[in-house]
Amino acid sequence: MKIIEVALEDIKSYEGQTVVPIEGGVTAILGENGAGKSTIQEAIGFALFDSLPFNNKDFVREGASSGTVEVSFEQETSEGRQRFRVTRSAGRSSYGVHRYDAENNEWIDQDIDSKSQLVKWLCTRFNVEDKDELQSLWESCIGVPQTRFLSDFAQRPTSRKATFDALLNLDAYEESWNRLKDIPDAIGKEEQKLREEIARLTSTVKDLPDKQAKVESLADEVASIEAEIDGKTDELTEKETEHEELEAVQDEIDSLEQEVRSQEQEIEAAEGELETAEKELRTAQKAQKKCEENREGYQQYEEASKRLDELEERESERDALAERKSEQKQEVSSLEFEVNQLEDDLETLQSAQETLETREDEKQRYEELDEKINSLQQREGKVEELQERIDELAEEIAEKQEKVESLEAKVESIEEEWEATTHPEDLDEEINQRKARRQQLKSERERLEKQLERLRDTDVDAPCPTCDRPLKEEHRSDAIDQRKERIEDIATEREELSEELSELRDRRKEARDVKRRADKLPVHREKIETLEAEIEDLQAEKSETEETLEDLEEELAELPDLKAERNDLQEAYDEYETAEFRVQEHADVPDELEEKLAELDAANSKLEEINDELAEYEGLDEKLAEVKETLEETEPAYQTYIKHEQQASQVEERQKAVDETKEELAEFKETLDETDAELEETKATFDEERLQALESDIDDLKGEIQRAKGSLEEKRKNLSETREEIQRLETALEDRQEKLQELKELKADQQFSEWVRENVREAGPKMREIITDRIGARANELFRTIRGASAETLEWKSDYEVVVHDADVTKSFSTLSGGEKMAAALAVRLAILSRSHRVRVSVCLERMCNQPKQTAR
């Protein structure tokens, strides 16, 4: 894997988005304290290894609600070299992974939007099992903090063992031995439970033979009752069939009797209908006679009514013409009035045109004077505005000068305070050192507590859990006392460190406050420069305004003379304005007068035409009176005809109804005779006594069958319950056999667990020797490559001590020089990383030794 770019946005001191490219070779990150060098390393650990030495909210830039880290890297995969970009946010839950598609030049989303999905994907990328191993890979191999890079190798043997056992997963042997401690006891308890369960099952299945015999007896009884029910059911079926046949005959008799009654009712209804039809026929014949008597008067009334409609239509036409005549007269009067008015307006127009010619010169001089006076009057108000603006500028200049003096004093105060303050990053380093020490003490305390527990649980003469020597009571007592005393010392030292941390955090908070104020000094200085420039601009504007005011006051001195001359011309100007208005108002009068005279001639002609049309309607009122008299005389005959007309038209229809009703009545009487004969024939075939006997027999058989079914249901229920009981007992018997087999297997498991526990603990030291030997060999190769000294060899012992052999001299880690320590620590950590996670360390070292440095600031 090769990291190629880190992008930070609102992370610690990084405001906005900052992109840090990481090219080939060794990349050195340089900068002043607080510039954000460590932040880049922390960002890589946060995004790719889920590792951050503090709360991720503290990772966000102060003042921002959240921040984002993007790390891009390349990696060899089964599909070739691929490029990925991991995005993760601090202060909010946001995660993402994208793969670069070189063919289409685009980033493809990998559908990862939760922390659990991201961690799982990263574990697969780095070939580790879980989140803890992923974090350990970063914190102990790749991104080791400065305070731990060398200190892990300088620890005492027991502390080194705790550190590197956890890194190499060798502490799993000791943990497994502890976890396996309770397994034999747990198996023993399980054995006791199985024995109790077997005893209970044995007692349960003893009644199984009796239950099986009872099932056979109940099955025979059920079969006997079923045979009895079948016989009685067959007999019942025969009798029900005969009963149904007799019931059918009885139903037929009832139906025929009902049909006879229905037919008698139909005959009675038909006779009533015939009587009604004959009565209606006689009524229609009388109405027909009345219509014949009044037919002549009806026809005269119809003809007079049509004539009245024609005359009333002409009457409407005549009334409309009379109304049009009245309207036309009004229009003629209106036009005559408008003509007179226009003639007066024409005289006014001619007089106004003469006034315009005589007053033209005076009007023009008045307008020139008025325009000049208005201009000067408008500028009178400008004098006051200019004076107010001059006062405002003077006041604004004074305010800005005060702000400049205040800011200069504030800058001087902040500079003095910052010079007297310790830098926050220096305090951060002290705090981190004390926190690292507290963590070391915590780890040591936990390790000592585990050793105490093992020392108390280990039998006398067994191997000592801390030094593998035979454990004596005196040795165990001394070891326990030593660890208790050390635990108390650790508690005291941790309390002291907590107090120091509290004091340092308070100092750091105050220092950060001072630094925030100091960071704003450039802003204050820039503000001072801006204010000074603004003061210069205001002073220039003030001088220019004062010059404008002086010029305006000279021009306003001529205003009284101009006003006097304009007042002398006021009357002539007003006359001109009035005449001009009249000319504009009556400009169209000549044309309008000509048009109105033409309209008046046309209106008079139209009035004469309407009078000629009205002459055609003379004598209309006499004709209307004559027609109305005829209508009045013939109306009684018309009403009588109308009243009887409908009944008279139904004579033929009602005669037909009388004939049809007579035929239907004859058919009903014939059908009734046939139905009476069929009824007598059916009654002769019916035996009522036999029907009653069958009903009694059927009821008796049903009762017997029902009682037999009740008994059968009870027997079946007992049989089912007994069979279920047998099934339960057989299941219990099978469970008993299984429990016996489980008991046998548990005994074997107990023996095996005791054997495994002992061998697991013995395997830990052996595996430590094998692993340290292999990693040490690889570390030696890397150490000699880094150092470039073929005479030096590095050895990593099974207690994790680093030893360097130089010719005949053997040097422990504590006696090495600073460069030797760094080379040795780097070689061992790279060897662990190479061995555990398939990292190409040789290529990294070759680049470190042969390529120029790339610097990211």
Side-chain angles (χ1 to χ4, degrees):
M1 185 194 78
K2 175 186 175 184
I3 296 174
I4 58 177
E5 184 180 273
V6 179
L8 307 171
E9 183 175 359
D10 288 335
I11 296 294
K12 279 195 170 180
S13 60
Y14 290 89
E15 183 176 4
Q17 187 178 54
T18 302
V19 178
V20 181
I22 301 178
E23 302 177 3
V26 178
T27 298
I29 301 173
L30 307 178
E32 299 177 354
N33 288 340
K37 302 184 297 299
S38 300
T39 304
I40 297 173
Q41 180 190 14
E42 291 166 351
I44 296 171
F46 177 61
L48 299 186
F49 298 90
D50 191 33
S51 175
L52 199 63
F54 40 78
N55 190 300
N56 66 6
K57 290 184 179 179
D58 296 333
F59 204 35
V60 180
R61 183 181 62 81
E62 187 170 353
S65 60
S66 63
T68 303
V69 174
E70 287 185 359
V71 179
S72 301
F73 65 90
E74 293 179 347
Q75 189 176 41
E76 291 290 345
T77 67
S78 59
E79 300 176 2
R81 177 170 286 274
Q82 290 186 321
R83 180 178 296 182
F84 298 95
R85 183 174 67 203
V86 176
T87 304
R88 183 169 179 184
S89 295
R92 61 186 175 92
S93 298
S94 178
Y95 311 88
V97 175
H98 294 77
R99 178 181 59 81
Y100 180 67
D101 183 357
E103 183 176 350
N104 297 314
N105 190 27
E106 63 178 355
W107 289 92
I108 300 174
D109 188 7
Q110 301 299 291
D111 294 330
I112 292 175
D113 55 7
S114 69
K115 181 177 178 180
S116 59
Q117 291 177 332
L118 176 61
V119 170
K120 184 177 180 181
W121 185 85
L122 290 170
C123 289
T124 303
R125 288 285 135 203
F126 292 107
N127 192 30
V128 297
E129 292 184 1
D130 54 24
K131 171 183 174 181
D132 292 338
E133 191 171 346
L134 182 70
Q135 291 177 343
S136 179
L137 173 62
W138 172 257
E139 294 168 3
S140 300
C141 292
I142 300 174
V144 183
Q146 297 177 12
T147 54
R148 284 188 53 197
F149 198 84
L150 299 178
S151 62
D152 286 348
F153 296 95
Q155 297 180 99
R156 291 183 298 176
T158 53
S159 300
R160 288 198 306 271
K161 180 176 178 295
T163 299
F164 289 102
D165 275 357
L167 177 61
L168 299 174
N169 288 330
L170 290 174
D171 54 351
Y173 292 96
E174 191 68 24
E175 291 174 2
S176 298
W177 183 82
N178 287 325
R179 285 198 298 268
L180 291 170
K181 177 181 179 183
D182 297 331
I183 291 179
D185 295 340
I187 294 175
K189 292 178 181 178
E190 190 66 24
E191 286 181 6
Q192 182 61 32
K193 288 181 182 178
L194 281 174
R195 289 191 179 94
E196 292 173 356
E197 185 67 14
I198 290 169
R200 184 185 65 77
L201 291 172
T202 302
S203 174
T204 300
V205 301
K206 66 181 181 180
D207 295 333
L208 181 59
D210 295 340
K211 298 292 183 182
Q212 291 171 337
K214 184 177 178 181
V215 165
E216 293 178 0
S217 173
L218 286 171
D220 293 340
E221 292 178 8
V222 167
S224 175
I225 295 172
E226 287 176 344
E228 179 184 354
I229 290 173
D230 290 342
K232 291 186 181 296
T233 301
D234 293 340
E235 183 180 356
L236 175 63
T237 302
E238 293 176 0
K239 290 185 180 295
E240 285 179 339
T241 301
E242 185 179 357
H243 181 272
E244 288 174 358
E245 292 173 353
L246 286 173
E247 276 188 335
V249 174
Q250 187 180 38
D251 291 343
E252 186 177 358
I253 291 171
D254 294 339
S255 175
L256 287 171
E257 289 176 344
Q258 177 64 30
E259 190 173 348
V260 167
R261 288 192 294 271
S262 176
Q263 290 170 355
E264 289 174 346
Q265 291 174 356
E266 288 176 347
I267 290 171
E268 183 178 354
E271 289 173 346
E273 289 176 3
L274 178 59
E275 183 179 352
T276 301
E278 289 174 342
K279 183 178 179 180
E280 289 177 348
L281 176 59
R282 290 192 294 272
T283 302
Q285 288 171 344
K286 290 179 181 179
Q288 188 179 44
K289 184 178 179 181
K290 286 280 187 182
C291 287
E292 290 298 327
E293 292 173 352
N294 292 279
R295 184 178 300 279
E296 183 179 354
Y298 169 79
Q299 291 175 348
Q300 289 177 355
Y301 185 90
E302 286 284 313
E303 291 173 358
S305 179
K306 291 179 182 178
R307 179 60 179 162
L308 178 64
D309 291 341
E310 293 173 358
L311 293 173
E312 286 179 344
E313 184 176 353
R314 284 185 60 78
E315 183 183 27
S316 298
E317 293 173 354
R318 183 194 66 185
D319 294 344
L321 280 171
E323 186 175 355
R324 284 176 56 196
K325 178 181 177 180
S326 176
E327 291 174 355
Q328 191 63 31
K329 283 182 177 181
Q330 291 178 0
E331 184 176 355
V332 169
S333 298
S334 177
L335 287 170
E336 289 174 346
F337 175 78
E338 290 179 6
V339 166
N340 293 332
Q341 184 67 40
L342 287 171
E343 289 173 347
D344 293 340
D345 291 343
L346 182 61
E347 293 178 3
T348 302
L349 174 63
Q350 292 170 349
S351 174
Q353 289 173 341
E354 292 174 0
T355 301
L356 290 177
E357 292 176 2
T358 58
R359 297 290 189 181
E360 178 67 27
D361 295 338
E362 294 172 309
K363 177 255 184 186
Q364 290 180 357
R365 177 56 182 164
Y366 179 90
E367 288 179 347
E368 291 174 0
L369 291 170
D370 190 62
E371 183 179 357
K372 190 171 183 179
I373 290 168
N374 288 335
S375 175
L376 289 173
Q377 285 178 337
Q378 290 175 358
R379 297 178 68 189
E380 276 183 327
K382 189 70 173 177
V383 172
E384 186 176 352
E385 291 178 7
L386 291 171
Q387 187 60 54
E388 289 178 357
R389 180 55 183 161
I390 291 169
D391 296 339
E392 289 174 359
L393 290 170
E395 185 177 352
E396 193 171 351
I397 290 168
E399 290 177 358
K400 291 186 181 295
Q401 286 176 340
E402 288 180 5
K403 289 182 180 179
V404 168
E405 294 171 0
S406 175
L407 285 171
E408 289 175 343
K410 187 174 183 179
V411 166
E412 184 178 357
S413 174
I414 292 172
E415 288 174 342
E416 292 175 357
E417 188 178 12
W418 178 238
E419 289 177 2
T421 301
T422 304
H423 199 285
E425 285 195 358
D426 296 338
L427 294 172
D428 284 341
E429 186 174 353
E430 291 186 38
I431 289 171
N432 290 336
Q433 290 174 355
R434 283 162 176 75
K435 285 170 70 176
R437 179 57 182 162
R438 286 183 78 249
Q439 185 62 37
Q440 290 175 355
L441 292 171
K442 180 182 177 183
S443 301
E444 184 181 355
R445 182 191 64 194
E446 291 174 353
R447 186 171 61 258
L448 291 170
E449 288 173 346
K450 290 180 180 179
Q451 291 177 359
L452 279 173
E453 184 178 354
R454 291 203 300 268
L455 284 168
R456 293 190 181 104
D457 293 342
T458 305
D459 297 331
V460 177
D461 294 332
C464 176
T466 60
C467 63
D468 293 333
R469 293 181 300 172
L471 183 63
K472 300 300 181 181
E473 185 59 38
E474 182 179 359
H475 173 59
R476 173 161 59 182
S477 177
D478 291 343
I480 289 173
D481 291 341
Q482 289 174 2
R483 282 156 180 76
K484 284 182 177 180
E485 183 179 355
R486 178 54 185 159
I487 289 173
E488 291 175 359
D489 293 342
I490 288 172
T492 302
E493 188 174 353
R494 280 174 58 85
E495 288 178 4
E496 294 173 353
L497 286 170
S498 296
E499 293 176 359
E500 293 176 7
L501 279 170
S502 177
E503 181 183 353
L504 285 170
R505 288 189 179 109
D506 291 342
R507 288 178 56 198
R508 182 179 61 182
K509 183 177 180 301
E510 294 175 359
R512 284 176 175 173
D513 291 340
V514 174
K515 185 177 182 300
R516 277 194 294 272
R517 292 194 291 273
D519 290 342
K520 294 178 181 179
L521 283 174
V523 177
H524 295 327
R525 294 190 182 100
E526 183 179 353
K527 183 65 175 176
I528 290 171
E529 293 176 359
T530 302
L531 287 170
E532 289 175 343
E534 290 175 356
I535 288 171
E536 291 179 3
D537 293 340
L538 291 171
Q539 288 174 341
E541 183 183 354
K542 181 171 176 289
S543 299
E544 184 179 349
T545 306
E546 288 171 345
E547 292 176 3
T548 303
L549 177 60
E550 185 177 351
D551 295 339
L552 179 59
E553 287 175 343
E554 290 178 0
E555 293 178 6
L556 289 173
E558 301 176 6
L559 188 59
D561 295 338
L562 295 174
K563 285 183 178 180
E565 185 180 356
R566 185 187 65 177
N567 291 338
D568 293 340
L569 295 171
Q570 183 68 47
E571 183 178 355
Y573 177 79
D574 291 341
E575 289 180 5
Y576 185 92
E577 286 287 308
T578 302
E580 187 176 34
F581 173 75
R582 296 301 179 196
V583 169
Q584 292 175 355
E585 182 181 13
H586 301 298
D588 299 330
V589 166
D591 295 335
E592 290 179 1
L593 178 59
E594 185 177 353
E595 290 175 3
K596 289 298 177 183
L597 288 171
E599 289 178 12
L600 180 59
D601 292 340
N604 285 321
S605 298
K606 193 172 184 180
L607 181 59
E608 291 176 0
E609 291 174 2
I610 292 172
N611 288 328
D612 294 340
E613 291 179 13
L614 281 172
E616 298 176 2
Y617 290 90
E618 292 182 0
L620 179 62
D621 292 335
E622 290 80 2
K623 293 177 182 178
L624 278 169
E626 182 180 348
V627 170
K628 289 179 180 179
E629 184 179 355
T630 301
L631 286 172
E632 186 176 356
E633 291 173 354
T634 59
E635 185 175 6
Y638 174 80
Q639 293 296 337
T640 301
Y641 186 90
I642 291 297
K643 180 178 179 182
H644 295 89
E645 182 180 19
Q646 184 177 4
Q647 287 184 338
S649 66
Q650 296 176 350
V651 171
E652 293 182 4
E653 180 182 347
R654 291 182 178 179
Q655 181 62 56
K656 183 179 179 182
V658 169
D659 296 341
E660 288 176 354
T661 304
K662 287 180 179 179
E663 291 177 3
E664 186 178 0
L665 181 60
E667 290 177 0
F668 283 158
K669 289 180 178 179
E670 183 180 353
T671 302
L672 177 61
D673 294 340
E674 292 175 357
T675 305
D676 284 337
E678 185 179 357
L679 176 61
E680 292 302 323
E681 184 179 349
T682 304
K683 283 182 177 179
T685 63
F686 180 65
D687 186 352
E688 186 173 358
E689 292 181 357
R690 178 57 181 166
L691 177 63
Q692 293 175 353
L694 285 172
E695 288 176 350
S696 177
D697 293 344
I698 287 171
D699 291 340
D700 292 342
L701 283 171
K702 286 182 177 178
E704 293 173 1
I705 291 172
Q706 189 63 34
R707 288 190 292 275
K709 285 183 176 179
S711 177
L712 177 62
E713 183 178 355
E714 183 178 356
K715 296 294 183 182
R716 283 177 174 171
K717 182 179 179 182
N718 291 338
L719 178 61
S720 176
E721 291 175 351
T722 306
R723 282 175 174 167
E724 289 177 359
E725 182 67 14
I726 289 174
Q727 186 176 1
R728 185 181 66 80
L729 293 175
E730 288 176 346
T731 302
L733 184 62
E734 292 175 0
D735 289 346
R736 181 177 178 276
Q737 293 301 118
E738 291 177 0
K739 299 296 182 186
L740 288 171
Q741 182 62 30
E742 287 180 20
L743 180 61
K744 182 178 179 182
E745 292 173 356
L746 274 177
K747 289 180 180 179
D749 289 345
Q750 186 177 31
Q751 295 174 355
F752 178 73
S753 66
E754 292 173 350
W755 178 83
V756 167
R757 185 167 180 258
E758 293 304 322
N759 282 275
V760 163
R761 192 176 193 190
E762 293 174 1
K766 295 178 181 178
M767 287 302 299
R768 187 183 301 113
E769 291 179 4
I770 294 171
I771 292 173
T772 53
D773 184 59
R774 291 177 179 176
I775 293 176
R778 179 59 176 152
N780 180 47
E781 296 174 5
L782 298 172
F783 178 75
R784 297 177 70 177
T785 301
I786 295 169
R787 293 283 294 164
S790 59
E792 292 180 339
T793 58
L794 181 143
E795 179 186 2
W796 201 32
K797 294 185 176 181
S798 60
D799 63 352
Y800 303 120
E801 181 184 8
V802 173
V803 176
V804 174
H805 302 281
D806 186 0
D808 296 332
V809 179
T810 299
K811 296 183 285 186
S812 64
F813 188 80
S814 60
T815 62
L816 296 176
S817 67
E820 289 173 330
K821 286 181 178 179
M822 182 58 71
L826 179 61
V828 173
R829 291 190 186 278
L830 289 175
I832 294 172
L833 186 63
S834 175
R835 198 74 179 176
S836 302
H837 305 285
R838 303 183 301 182
V839 177
R840 299 175 60 186
V841 177
S842 60
V843 176
C844 296
L845 287 174
E846 182 180 353
R847 290 177 177 173
M848 289 169 61
C849 297
N850 299 328
Q851 294 189 16
K853 294 194 293 183
Q854 302 293 331
T855 301
R857 293 186 180 271

